[in-house]
Amino acid sequence: MIVAEKKSINEIIETIKDYNKILLLGCNECVTVCEAGGKKEVGVLASALRMYFLNQEKKIHIDEITLERQCDHEYLEEIRDRIDQYDAVLSLACGVGVQFMADKYLSTPVVPGVNTCFLGATEKRGLWTERCQACGQCILASTGGICPVSRCAKRLLNGPCGGSTKGKCEISKELDCAWQLIIDRLKALNRLDDYEKLADIKDWSSDRAGGPRKVVREDVQE
Ligand code: SF4
Ligand code: SF4
């Protein structure tokens, strides 16, 4: 899932303070799971903002809606008949939702209320860790299911660097060395021969760093 974290209330106030009528828009998907932008967070943020502006004696009206998804035309259409009532939308969706919204409703400013961080997993409540950088050419089959692209600080594809010490990454002692994890896992799977093989040269043109990508599926019809 996409993992995001809440922006500070001061940053949010700075981005919305010049508007009078604001739609605070949550999303029921990833940002709900990572407790950054779901219905609950919309309610808490709306109350905090109302309180702040009341104390400032500034009249700001905030409405709250949480859509099923903000990255889908179908759900964004649900606010079409009321979007013109607002001076701005404060979106708690990930950056995809914010942009989709901005594409769709050209005359309404949309500002983000969260920082989109990475593709990750929920380790436990309150802890999410990065697991994938959407490189577009998955190599997990040869690395024991552990991703060196997202979990090795140097994105090394053929074993650890010289800085790996006692299973920890040289970038931070708090981080496991991804390659140590890969070797341990391959050992456990009795697949250490995968480690001996030189990885194919990776085609980084399919990585998201090469510019925006599209996935077109002809087997999926409109
Ligand atoms: S190899 Fe690429 S697609 Fe596979 S998990 Fe890692 S970053 Fe994601
Ligand atoms: S110590 Fe391990 S995880 Fe850290 S950069 Fe080197 S190989 Fe990658």
Side-chain angles (χ1 to χ4, degrees), residues 10 17 21 30 37-38 44 53 67 74 97 111 128 146 152 154 166 178 192 218:
N10 290 341
K17 67 181 181 352
K21 196 163 181 200
C30 308
V44 171
F53 287 115
L67 299 178
E74 181 186 347
V111 298
W128 293 271
I146 294 166
C152 167
K154 297 175 186 168
K166 294 185 180 159
L192 265 182
E218 285 175 4

Side-chain angles (χ1 to χ4, degrees), residues 1 13 25 103 130 138 181 187 190 196:
M1 68 177 188
I13 288 167
L25 199 61
D103 281 355
E130 184 170 10
C138 195
L181 296 176
K187 248 188 227 166
N190 208 17
E196 302 294 329

Side-chain angles (χ1 to χ4, degrees), residues 153 163 165 167-177:
T165 312
K168 295 294 176 189
C169 175
E170 73 168 343
I171 300 296
S172 162
K173 295 286 170 260
E174 313 238 306
L175 289 176
D176 290 326
C177 166

